Amino acid sequence: MKILEHLFHNNEEWSERIKAEDPTFFEKLALQQTPEYLWIGCSDSRVPANQLTGLLPGDVFVHRNVANLVVHTDFNCLSVVQYAVEVLKVKHIIICGHYGCGGVLSAMKNQELGLIDNWLRNIKDLYCKHQEALESIKDEKERGDVMCELNIVEQVANLCHTTIVQNAWKRGQSLSVHGWVYGIKDGKLQDLGVCVNDVEQIPDVYRIFQKRRLGK
């Protein structure tokens, strides 16, 4: 007897339900994947990309890690981004964090957690950058929520500074990077108003090319 028999049972029910709705769904899915979206999210089990957005398998390419970071030395993340952009030709990259993120909240404290401390150091750097403003927020929950939002905005910037994204823009490829946050308590997604789709939207020092201006 399989120890996780109930998961295979759930899978069987799910497969039959999908086929009842669209008998050719899995046949079409097996031919190719052509998602328009790359989702970079947190590893938290309560934040599943497809379910939150109401998208089916094949509609969204996904990368997840603790606290939804885009680190320039993380070749796992960068490989996913490159494949999504250059091979799958996604049009939108969504970096989605969530309120109450354990990784973000842990990075705001002085405590040793182990190997993950090296990963969370990236968030500690961000905390130091905004420390004065954050510590002026007296409510601890509100402070944590603001830090989660700041982390998402920072990761959008990090992604846009990569050669992968900028080379896509240089080729004239349609590509937008978005910053969203998810509220676990109400199940709602929120757009943080961060959307970058052009090299001119990032600081000059990070640009690997300059757009030619008409008449010059």
Side-chain angles (χ1 to χ4, degrees):
M1 178 180 177
K2 296 187 181 76
I3 296 176
L4 299 178
E5 183 67 35
H6 61 292
L7 297 184
F8 288 92
H9 176 73
N10 292 347
N11 169 253
E12 182 72 21
E13 288 189 341
W14 171 79
S15 174
E16 293 303 319
R17 185 170 64 251
I18 293 293
K19 285 188 286 188
E21 295 171 359
D22 181 356
T24 63
F25 177 81
F26 290 108
E27 293 177 21
K28 293 182 293 186
L29 192 65
L31 294 176
Q32 62 179 341
Q33 61 168 337
T34 55
E36 289 192 14
Y37 315 96
L38 166 61
W39 174 284
I40 299 178
C42 183
S43 297
D44 194 301
S45 61
R46 299 168 295 176
V47 193
N50 287 74
Q51 287 90 329
L52 299 187
T53 53
L55 296 173
L56 291 170
D59 289 340
V60 57
F61 201 57
V62 177
H63 174 77
R64 295 169 71 174
N65 62 50
V66 174
N68 45 271
L69 299 185
V70 177
V71 180
H72 294 122
T73 53
D74 179 8
F75 295 112
N76 183 358
C77 178
L78 295 183
S79 296
V80 170
V81 172
Q82 182 174 21
Y83 186 80
V85 171
E86 297 182 8
V87 179
L88 298 178
K89 306 293 184 184
V90 298
K91 295 180 179 178
H92 302 275
I93 302 178
I94 300 162
I95 299 181
C96 185
H98 64 97
Y99 293 123
C101 178
V104 172
L105 299 180
S106 295
M108 297 171 69
K109 300 174 182 177
N110 295 322
Q111 63 184 72
E112 183 179 352
L113 299 173
L115 181 63
I116 197 172
D117 291 328
N118 300 281
W119 181 255
L120 298 181
R121 215 278 326 264
N122 296 282
I123 307 177
K124 286 184 180 290
D125 290 344
L126 180 63
Y127 183 85
C128 287
K129 182 178 175 181
H130 298 280
Q131 188 169 1
E132 185 176 348
L134 286 164
E135 292 184 354
S136 69
I137 302 173
K138 302 305 179 185
D139 182 78
E140 186 175 354
K141 180 186 178 301
E142 182 183 352
R143 190 186 314 124
D145 287 350
V146 170
M147 186 63 194
C148 288
E149 293 177 354
L150 288 171
N151 182 51
I152 295 162
V153 174
E154 184 78 359
Q155 305 318 312
V156 168
N158 285 346
L159 183 58
C160 293
H161 298 164
T162 65
T163 56
I164 303 166
V165 169
Q166 291 190 48
N167 278 329
W169 290 333
K170 188 176 182 179
R171 292 190 298 270
Q173 188 171 336
S174 175
L175 181 65
S176 299
V177 183
H178 310 262
W180 293 1
V181 66
Y182 174 67
I184 291 176
K185 290 187 176 180
D186 63 9
K188 299 290 181 64
L189 287 167
Q190 178 183 337
D191 189 337
L192 294 179
V194 181
C195 179
V196 185
N197 52 31
D198 191 281
V199 70
E200 302 231 335
Q201 292 177 261
I202 65 177
D204 187 75
V205 69
Y206 293 109
R207 301 179 193 177
I208 62 171
F209 74 98
Q210 299 288 344
K211 290 181 68 175
R212 291 183 179 178
R213 301 182 189 279
L214 294 177
K216 291 189 177 181

